[in-house]
């Protein structure tokens, strides 16, 4: 039994190590997804700023084209090294690779005849007086059943339903199909 306990502990240790690696990878994934979201937000802000600069240039061109160089100087001042020097670089650190820890291979355990032919004990028990549910009868197509009935049966059914039993099978069927139920047809047999 000690042999199995050691193997069990070895597998449990491997599972714990793998779970730790999964947790580390999930943390890194969350970090990268957050960074990706930040980049998307920055890209959208830049696109919006470029669109606003284009609109401002267009408006300035219509109002006072002589002020365009002043506007350009103001935009360029925003990109001066002093204006953006206070911002930290958002360059992501290179992704750390998480290598799985190698697991020592173990020699296969000797097998015995009992290992190769396992015996499984199963005791069959009956359910305690469970009621047997009858299967529902398939829904009967009344019109089809009437069409398949012989004329004498149609006439006797029509008489039992107080419907005119004279005429052809098609005429009797037409009169019966509105009032006959599947239960009536099952009663006929």
């Amino acid at each position: 039994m000690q042999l199995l306990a050691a193997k069990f502990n070895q597998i449990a240790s491997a599972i714990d190590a793998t779970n730790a690696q999964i947790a580390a990878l999930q943390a890194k994934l969350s970090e990268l997804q957050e960074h990706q979201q930040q980049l998307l937000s920055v890209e959208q802000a830049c696109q919006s700023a470029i669109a606003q600069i284009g609109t401002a240039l267009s408006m300035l061109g219509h109002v006072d084209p002589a002020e365009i160089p002043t506007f350009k100087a103001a935009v360029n001042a925003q990109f001066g090294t002093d204006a953006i020097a206070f911002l930290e670089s958002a360059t992501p650190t290179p992704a750390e690779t998480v290598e799985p820890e190698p697991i020592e291979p173990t020699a296969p355990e000797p097998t015995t005849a009992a290992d190769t032919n396992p015996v499984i004990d199963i005791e069959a028990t009956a359910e305690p007086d469970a009621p047997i549910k009858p299967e529902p009868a398939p829904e009967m197509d009344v019109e089809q059943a009437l069409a398949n009935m012989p004329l004498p049966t149609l006439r006797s059914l029509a008489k039992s339903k107080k419907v005119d039993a004279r005429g052809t099978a098609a005429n009797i069927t037409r009169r019966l199909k509105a009032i006959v139920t599947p239960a009536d047809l099952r009663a006929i047999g």
Side-chain angles (χ1 to χ4, degrees):
M1 211 45 146
Q2 287 289 30
L3 189 66
L4 292 177
K7 187 68 171 174
F8 178 79
N9 290 336
Q10 181 184 10
I11 291 172
S13 296
I15 289 172
D16 290 342
T18 303
N19 283 334
Q21 291 171 351
I22 290 170
L25 288 172
Q26 286 174 332
K28 189 65 177 175
L29 176 65
S30 294
E31 182 183 314
L32 289 173
Q33 286 174 332
E34 183 179 330
H35 186 71
Q36 183 182 30
Q37 186 63 38
Q38 290 171 347
L39 286 175
L40 182 61
S41 296
V42 169
E43 181 180 356
Q44 290 171 345
C46 289
Q47 292 292 338
S48 176
I50 290 170
Q52 288 179 354
I53 289 173
T55 302
L57 275 174
S58 176
M59 293 170 67
L60 191 56
H62 288 299
V63 174
D64 189 1
E67 289 296 321
I68 291 178
T70 306
F71 179 71
K72 183 177 179 183
V75 170
N76 285 338
Q78 287 295 316
F79 289 96
T81 55
D82 294 338
I84 58 173
F86 66 90
L87 295 176
E88 258 186 55
S89 173
T91 307
T93 57
E96 297 175 17
T97 57
V98 179
E99 293 292 326
E101 293 180 19
I103 300 172
E104 275 186 43
T106 58
E109 297 174 16
T111 59
T112 64
D115 291 338
T116 56
N117 297 322
V119 176
I120 300 173
D121 256 347
I122 299 177
E123 185 176 321
T125 59
E127 290 186 25
D129 298 331
I132 299 173
K133 296 178 186 174
E135 290 188 27
E139 193 57 38
M140 186 179 289
D141 182 16
V142 172
E143 189 171 358
Q144 183 66 34
L146 289 172
N148 291 336
M149 280 187 188
L151 185 58
T153 307
L154 279 173
R155 287 195 171 135
S156 67
L157 180 60
K159 288 176 186 174
S160 72
K161 290 293 185 176
K162 310 251 191 272
V163 174
D164 185 12
R166 294 176 292 162
T168 64
N171 287 339
I172 299 170
T173 299
R174 186 174 32 81
R175 290 189 287 263
L176 285 174
K177 73 179 179 182
I179 60 170
V180 171
T181 65
D184 294 331
L185 295 175
R186 281 193 283 280
I188 293 173

